[in-house]
Amino acid sequence: MSDATPDPYAAPLTFGKRMQILRQRRGMSRVVLAGLIDMSPSWVKRVENGQLQTPGLAMILRIAEALRVRDLADLTGYTDMRVDLFAGPGHPRLAAVANAVNAYPVGPSDGPAPSAAHIRARLGRAWSARHSAPNHREVIGALLPDLIRDAQLAVRQTDSAAERRAAQAALSEVYSLSQFFIAYQPDAALLWRVAERSLVAAQESEDPHTIGVAAWLTAQAHRDSGPSHFDAADEVTMSTLRYLDPLWEDATDDVRAITGALRFEAGYTAARRGDPGTAWRYWDQAEKTAKTLPAGYFHAVTSFSRAVMGAHAVTIAVELHSGGESVRQAARAEASVIPSRPRRARHRIEQARGYQLDGQPDVALATLNQAYEAAPETIRYNGYARRIVLEETEAASPGRRRRACELAAKIGLLAA
């Protein structure tokens, strides 16, 4: 007799048993799961014990979202139900980016390396292109392989400690840019590899802004890995804030912005925990930080700015599963003031989640169409958007079902 945890992907496990195993692997209690799907803990228990039948598609999708199940077949057991939710399709340029990351040469090389300043100039153009392009993954995916190789080479060919720190800072930011491309694609190991390298290079750089950016992305990676990683997310966030706070008086706008972004991240994680007091307290702190920045300032990596705080408020309300508050915040937050197309699309998705929570599925679908218009590649790789669209393809309303199917085809959930 084995004490090993059963494999939820092995037939003939029931839906309830699969749900229980996946929940336990996430380190999530029945009470937490019940709260995330707006059901009672006893309902969760009865489903897991087989006392209730498999729920309908809408509830299956909500459970999948709460458990961060990437493929619906893993939860249902039906191999003809293979739909990736929290991992988008593998981008055509993923293999080339992965090859550049995985090569990581350490020996001698031919040819001189570009300077850290040259790499930073290319990074600036890459961030600008990312924010302005609707197909932002395609744009940065084309730039990343050469950027990664050149940034690695620049570190290897430095002649002084100061040059090496500057090169490490540039390399760390190249890895940070890489995380935006790799996120939500079917290669979690590559994402973690890049996140860890970014953090190590940032520490070697001894640059506060670079350290803050790498920590911000690492905290997100932990948080998105599920409740059992929330403590790790908080530890990265809080330790970095303790490092940055004493530097506040003489801080540049970029350092202030990454400090504000980290304060919001603390609130975001608290909202995921279901702790509204802590979540809104950190949002307030982040807003106060944003007000210390120039009116037109926009942080290239995190999008932190005065303009984005309304969008952040929507995210907090949505993560707290407060439909009414989500809609109120959505009405106050103007998407058009956000200069980044992918960030604007992400805000539209968060608004759609709020409308869905508030029982306004038609408005949610219309808002997701606005997200698609802003940046198709954002919605294509967003698990929350994919869940809402897929759920509405089964809507009772023929008109809504048709609109959902049209959007599902555009984002690759259904055959066109």
Side-chain angles (χ1 to χ4, degrees), residues 12-359:
L13 291 179
T14 64
F15 174 88
K17 183 56 66 177
R18 287 171 178 272
M19 184 173 89
Q20 179 182 12
I21 293 167
L22 291 164
R23 173 180 62 77
Q24 291 172 338
R25 288 188 178 181
R26 281 288 182 193
M28 187 184 294
S29 69
R30 283 178 176 147
V31 173
V32 170
L33 177 58
L36 291 173
I37 61 175
D38 296 322
M39 300 298 287
S40 68
S42 63
W43 183 89
V44 173
K45 182 177 181 179
R46 283 182 291 159
V47 171
E48 291 183 347
N49 291 343
Q51 295 172 285
L52 292 177
Q53 291 183 337
T54 299
L57 178 62
M59 181 55 69
I60 289 174
L61 290 167
R62 290 176 188 272
I63 293 167
E65 177 183 321
L67 295 176
R68 304 291 291 183
V69 173
R70 294 189 179 277
D71 190 328
L72 279 183
D74 297 341
L75 179 61
T76 65
Y78 299 127
T79 56
D80 59 349
M81 205 175 188
R82 291 205 169 279
V83 178
D84 286 336
L85 287 178
F86 287 89
H91 194 278
R93 295 191 182 275
L94 179 60
V97 173
N99 287 341
V101 171
N102 292 333
Y104 203 67
V106 294
S109 60
D110 296 327
S115 67
H118 178 73
I119 292 170
R120 284 215 163 274
R122 288 162 62 187
L123 271 168
R125 292 192 294 271
W127 284 116
S128 178
R130 179 184 182 271
H131 290 305
S132 61
N135 58 333
H136 50 92
R137 286 182 189 266
E138 171 65 24
V139 169
I140 64 172
L143 298 173
L144 276 171
D146 286 341
L147 259 176
I148 292 167
R149 284 189 283 265
D150 286 348
Q152 291 172 345
L153 188 61
V155 170
R156 292 160 57 204
Q157 292 189 7
T158 53
D159 295 323
S160 68
E163 287 180 354
R164 185 172 181 82
R165 287 194 296 270
Q168 290 281 22
L171 176 60
S172 178
E173 191 169 324
V174 169
Y175 283 139
S176 294
L177 179 63
S178 302
Q179 287 178 72
F180 280 85
F181 174 80
I182 298 167
Y184 308 117
Q185 294 202 55
D187 197 339
L190 182 65
L191 178 68
W192 277 108
R193 194 173 307 126
V194 169
E196 289 169 357
R197 288 185 185 176
S198 179
L199 201 54
V200 170
Q203 290 168 335
E204 291 290 326
S205 78
E206 301 179 10
D207 176 68
H209 176 253
T210 303
I211 290 169
V213 167
W216 179 78
L217 283 162
T218 301
Q220 288 191 351
H222 279 298
R223 186 184 62 240
D224 288 345
S225 295
S228 62
H229 292 256
F230 287 173
D231 286 346
D234 280 338
E235 176 56 31
V236 172
T237 301
M238 297 308 175
S239 63
T240 309
L241 284 172
R242 287 192 294 271
Y243 163 70
L244 291 173
D245 282 342
L247 309 176
W248 181 259
E249 289 302 321
D250 299 320
T252 63
D253 287 341
D254 283 349
V255 171
R256 287 174 184 256
I258 194 59
T259 301
L262 284 162
R263 286 171 178 160
F264 170 70
E265 285 305 309
Y268 195 161
T269 304
R272 282 274 180 93
R273 290 182 187 275
D275 181 352
T278 303
W280 286 114
R281 175 165 57 85
Y282 277 111
W283 182 89
D284 285 337
Q285 291 182 15
E287 185 184 39
K288 289 175 182 176
T289 305
K291 288 178 178 177
T292 70
L293 298 169
Y297 176 89
F298 190 80
H299 190 256
V301 182
T302 67
S303 298
F304 191 80
S305 58
R306 295 187 189 188
V308 86
M309 290 312 302
H312 282 337
V314 175
T315 296
I316 293 292
V318 167
E319 292 294 346
L320 289 169
H321 296 268
S322 175
E325 182 63 20
S326 300
V327 170
R328 283 191 292 274
Q329 294 294 346
R332 295 172 55 190
E334 179 49 58
S336 63
V337 301
I338 301 174
S340 166
R341 291 183 73 127
R343 186 61 186 86
R344 195 156 63 242
R346 166 72 188 280
H347 173 47
R348 291 298 192 196
I349 293 167
E350 297 294 273
Q351 286 180 314
R353 292 176 68 196
Y355 289 124
Q356 186 83 351
L357 280 169
D358 198 49

